[in-house]
Amino acid sequence: MKRVLLLGALALSLCCGASRATLNVVACEPEWASLTQELGGDLVRVFSATTAMQDPHRIEARPSLIARVRNADLLVCTGLELEVGWLPVLLQQAGNARLAANAPGNFEAGRFVTPLELPSRLDRSEGDVHAQGNPHIQGDPRNIARVADALVQRLAQIDPINATAYRAKRDSFAQRWSAALQRWTTQTAPLKGVPVVVHHKNMSYLLNWLGMREVGTLEPKPGIEPSAGHLGTLSAQLQREPAKMVLRAAYQDAKASRWLAEHAALTAVVLPFTVGGNDKAVDLFGLFESSVELLLEAAK
Ligand SMILES: [Zn+2]
């Protein structure tokens, strides 16, 4: 009898204890995985669908990822069409009603920030143009703060028992974040107005925050790989109007920016772009510390 009771208790704890104690979260990108971890602590179990070494526009919906999504209580993605090439398929295959569009379990960070580069007309011949604006919102630390506020509300809605705990973690994060933001803003004053070339238009929010000037892109059109012809034109343009550096994200191929650095006398800089993009970018704080440091070094 005792043994049966024991087994019963064990089964109960296996069945419901774990699922009640932790919220299963799948984030589409590492920055949102990191933010959810900051706000959820040990109340959440977070998995990121992509790494800093992957292009978030295109990944494969592999079976292990489908299984994660099937069991998730909350999906935290950028939206703004960033994941349009893979997330709809993934959601369809996972068949998890909690994550349906407009369900509380489907959180889109892009809804809580002001998008840059909203196209005045939608012309797919112009490349990978996003109808809702540029989706690479994590480049601006002020956007991280806005998304944190919205995300904590969503966590509290899905897991109301722990609402107070989520809010306390958010308060702690917000305090540390605003102190760091103040420091970064002061440190980066010398970057204002510095002209740069970018590989893809994924640095716009970062450059906008820092007041840096984008004067060219290695891609001839968004999402179209750099070509010799385009790089030649860009190099000639830079003879007339020089830039200080060429920026690419950790996941992007080095070839084109190395070529340009050599031919147009500028510094090639690899930014972590998201959490995990280099050794220092272990969390969101490290991501911005490292980005600021790399940019200041290249601007010297
Ligand atoms: Zn993009």
Side-chain angles (χ1 to χ4, degrees):
M1 182 65 190
K2 205 172 173 189
R3 196 186 149 136
V4 169
L5 270 178
L6 205 65
L7 278 174
L10 186 68
L12 201 68
S13 72
L14 282 177
C15 133
C16 311
S19 64
R20 208 186 297 144
T22 52
L23 220 53
N24 282 319
V25 182
V26 171
C28 285
E29 291 84 25
E31 62 269 24
W32 308 133
S34 194
L35 184 61
T36 310
Q37 196 65 67
E38 291 275 358
L39 303 175
D42 53 12
L43 298 170
V44 294
R45 190 183 297 121
V46 189
F47 177 82
S48 180
T50 60
T51 73
M53 301 306 160
Q54 287 176 307
D55 180 347
H57 296 91
R58 12 187 117 70
I59 60 156
E60 264 178 62
R62 56 190 192 279
S64 60
L65 184 54
I66 297 167
R68 296 265 188 189
V69 172
R70 188 169 292 140
N71 296 319
D73 303 300
L74 175 64
L75 183 70
V76 182
C77 296
T78 299
L80 299 178
E81 297 186 354
L82 177 62
E83 304 94 356
V84 76
W86 54 274
L87 188 57
V89 182
L90 185 60
L91 282 173
Q92 195 203 345
Q93 295 190 345
N96 179 346
R98 294 188 296 274
L99 313 187
N102 298 318
N106 187 317
F107 180 91
E108 287 188 358
R111 289 179 187 234
F112 305 96
V113 306
T114 309
L116 296 176
E117 297 162 12
L118 269 171
S120 47
R121 66 192 179 97
L122 197 58
D123 183 353
R124 297 288 179 193
S125 73
E126 289 306 307
D128 212 353
V129 177
H130 299 288
Q132 298 168 315
N134 188 314
H136 304 289
I137 61 171
Q138 88 287 2
D140 187 334
R142 296 167 301 184
N143 283 347
I144 302 289
R146 291 177 190 119
V147 175
D149 286 342
L151 184 54
V152 80
Q153 286 182 38
R154 193 65 65 87
L155 287 164
Q157 182 186 352
I158 292 180
D159 184 18
I161 295 169
N162 291 310
T164 315
Y166 292 123
R167 290 198 186 99
K169 286 190 171 38
R170 189 271 317 270
D171 291 348
S172 154
F173 174 76
Q175 208 168 33
R176 287 178 291 128
W177 195 250
S178 96
L181 180 57
Q182 219 162 31
R183 198 174 64 245
W184 297 327
T185 307
T186 313
Q187 282 176 332
T188 54
L191 296 175
K192 275 211 176 63
V194 171
V196 298
V197 172
V198 297
H199 183 119
H200 170 69
K201 286 186 78 66
N202 54 5
M203 304 290 176
S204 304
Y205 291 85
L206 177 70
L207 301 179
N208 180 59
W209 167 53
L210 296 171
M212 298 178 85
R213 275 193 308 126
E214 183 186 300
V215 297
T217 59
L218 298 181
E219 292 180 344
K221 287 173 182 178
I224 311 291
E225 282 308 308
S227 62
H230 175 70
L231 289 179
T233 312
L234 182 59
S235 177
Q237 176 205 316
L238 292 169
Q239 303 298 328
R240 301 187 301 271
E241 185 194 1
K244 190 83 185 166
M245 48 186 113
V246 52
L247 309 178
R248 68 175 191 273
Y251 70 85
Q252 286 168 321
D253 191 80
K255 231 180 295 158
S257 59
R258 282 198 189 131
W259 186 91
L260 193 72
E262 213 172 287
H263 288 78
L266 32 75
T267 310
V269 182
V270 190
L271 293 176
F273 188 65
T274 184
V275 175
N278 66 24
D279 289 351
K280 287 185 181 164
V282 291
D283 59 11
L284 289 163
F285 292 91
L287 167 64
F288 283 94
E289 293 290 350
S290 171
S291 306
V292 162
E293 195 177 296
L294 289 163
L295 289 170
L296 286 172
E297 181 60 34
K300 273 183 189 163

